[in-house]
Amino acid sequence: MSNKPTHILRHVVGEDDNSRSNRIGAAWPHKDGKGFNISLEYMPLKQEGFISMREVKKEDEESSS
């Protein structure tokens, strides 16, 4: 199993074109495929917004190097 995350976590505030987000962590699937290990680098203090978990795209890998 790769040590690169398969998903990134973002804290999103707002909706549609008016939304903004900050990367707050990453996730890796369990070997049995029934869950994820999650690493949070930052915990949002605002109660507004939500956490979004999305698959890593090539652009995400390039921006993190």
Side-chain angles (χ1 to χ4, degrees):
M1 184 165 74
S2 171
N3 61 355
K4 290 186 176 184
T6 58
H7 292 73
I8 57 172
L9 301 166
R10 294 186 175 276
H11 177 240
V12 181
V13 177
E15 295 181 22
D16 303 322
D17 293 337
N18 296 322
S19 68
R20 61 187 190 280
S21 69
N22 291 308
R23 183 176 174 159
I24 61 169
W28 297 258
H30 290 166
K31 289 181 183 179
D32 65 7
K34 295 183 179 182
F36 288 87
N37 288 329
I38 295 174
S39 171
L40 290 174
E41 301 159 4
Y42 162 78
M43 181 56 91
L45 297 177
K46 293 182 179 183
Q47 292 190 8
E48 65 181 284
F50 57 93
I51 295 176
S52 173
M53 184 169 87
R54 306 281 295 184
E55 286 186 56
V56 172
K57 295 179 182 178
K58 186 173 180 161
E59 311 87 69
D60 297 322
E61 292 175 348
E62 291 171 355
S63 68
S64 66
S65 53

